[in-house]
Amino acid sequence: MRTAVVTGVSSGIGRAVAEQLVAEGWHVFGSVRKPGGDEGLSAGLGGRFTPLVFDVRDAEAVAAAAGQVSQALDGRTLTALVNNAGLANFGPLALQPIADWQAQIDVNLVGTLRVVQAFLPLLGADPARSGQPGRIVNVSSVSGSMTLPFVSGYAASKHGLEALSDAMRSELAIYGIKTIVIQPGPVQTPIWRKVHRPEDGLYAGSDYGALFEAFKSAFIAAGRNAHVPESFAKLIYKALTARNPKSRYARVRGRFLNWTLPSLLPARLLDRLLIEKFGLSDQRYVA
Ligand SMILES: NC(=O)c1ccc[n+]([C@@H]2O[C@H](COP(=O)([O-])OP(=O)(O)OC[C@H]3O[C@@H](n4cnc5c(N)ncnc54)[C@H](OP(=O)(O)O)[C@@H]3O)[C@@H](O)[C@H]2O)c1
């Protein structure tokens, strides 16, 4: 039976991936942060779903989960690891508390490496295991390639994840382990609700207060018309099962305007467009 570890299955893309893989006959080990945090997944998916409890920042808990999966695999390789757990804390970089900014690096980037290191032996780095080498999918973002204002920490974490994934593709080749990156544009998941946090009021009255509020509203509106998580579950399934997967799959609504064109424009021109769109032009000398 094919087996997968999926991080962050309590909601959104991770949950949809767990459901898709179980429907395809896989056994899924899905991570949540607290016991019972799988919000009914265990009941819904039955015996082919096993919850794991860990925060990707907690090395000991991640190692214990790898031990649990190792026991269940009984000497076979793990077919897939989907690094999906992530969070977004937006804010103006001039004022955003360093801890909020850094949390995104700790979870989205360092957390991914921590999980990869713990599960590598199961994916085939341990020669004593039988079976084909496993495959790794890293869930990045369009923010892994382009950076909007107020998203600096999230984009830095995802740009870092892109670099980590590039290195994984070459370094893990010695084990036959393939790494594939998924770059979603906006997806309708609870991550959008989490952007509305009480402490965001901390920017009110600053130079960025009104601009950041306008940015959040535009971002959240884009999220409402976004892809559904199930469409990314299908894409991730394709990345896990295609004979020759691409190294990267990007899926963005309005692909030409929101993805192709910005990647072709000179940086200064793109800056000008973003400054205008988000009302960030220099106000100091306006009479
Ligand atoms: N939604 C989008 O528009 C979008 C676009 C591009 C990329 N992505 C990426 O897609 C991935 C999934 O996000 P989503 O949109 O599905 O959001 P989501 O519904 O909020 O799911 C995020 C998952 O990650 C878990 N998580 C957060 N911090 C964690 C930690 N420290 N340790 C372990 N698990 C943790 C969450 O658990 P809790 O429930 O315990 O918080 C949740 O299960 C993320 O990597 C995100 O960056 C999303």
Side-chain angles (χ1 to χ4, degrees), residues 57-273:
R57 291 168 294 188
D58 181 344
E60 260 180 47
V62 172
Q68 184 185 340
V69 176
S70 175
Q71 247 185 351
L73 291 175
D74 197 20
R76 282 160 300 154
T77 50
L78 176 67
T79 318
L81 167 63
V82 180
N83 288 304
N84 162 78
L87 87 166
N89 289 334
F90 301 156
L93 65 89
L95 303 170
Q96 190 172 18
I98 294 290
D100 273 13
W101 200 95
Q102 193 170 1
Q104 300 166 100
I105 306 288
D106 290 345
V107 173
N108 303 350
L109 176 56
V110 185
T112 298
L113 178 60
R114 189 172 288 117
V115 171
V116 166
Q117 289 186 344
F119 285 93
L120 261 186
L122 282 58
L123 288 158
D126 173 3
R129 288 184 179 270
S130 63
Q132 294 292 313
R135 222 173 246 194
I136 300 176
V137 164
N138 288 339
V139 180
S140 177
S141 165
V142 291
S143 297
S145 294
M146 60 179 78
T147 306
L148 292 178
F150 304 126
V151 176
S152 65
Y154 182 71
S157 73
K158 295 296 188 179
H159 274 67
L161 183 59
E162 296 284 333
L164 174 64
S165 306
D166 288 345
M168 284 167 63
R169 277 203 313 283
S170 49
E171 289 189 34
L172 303 187
I174 59 165
Y175 302 121
I177 296 171
K178 288 189 165 72
T179 300
I180 302 119
V181 174
I182 305 290
Q183 291 187 305
V187 192
Q188 292 172 39
T189 73
I191 210 168
W192 301 101
R193 286 204 297 277
K194 297 173 192 173
V195 171
H196 273 301
R197 295 168 322 133
E199 60 268 40
D200 288 340
L202 132 121
Y203 309 125
S206 77
D207 291 343
Y208 292 100
L211 299 175
F212 182 55
E213 283 309 311
F215 162 80
K216 275 199 308 184
S217 303
F219 212 69
I220 286 158
R224 281 197 210 100
N225 302 320
H227 286 287
V228 293
E230 289 71 21
S231 101
F232 283 94
K234 287 200 177 78
L235 187 61
I236 289 169
Y237 184 69
K238 181 175 161 184
L240 290 177
T241 54
R243 182 186 288 269
N244 288 310
K246 295 202 278 186
S247 53
R248 221 172 232 93
Y249 293 85
R251 182 170 288 172
V252 187
R253 274 222 202 289
R255 190 178 174 94
F256 180 72
L257 271 186
N258 294 325
W259 179 253
T260 312
L261 187 61
S263 67
L264 295 174
L265 292 178
R268 289 281 180 214
L269 177 55
L270 186 57
D271 288 348
R272 280 225 304 277
L273 294 172

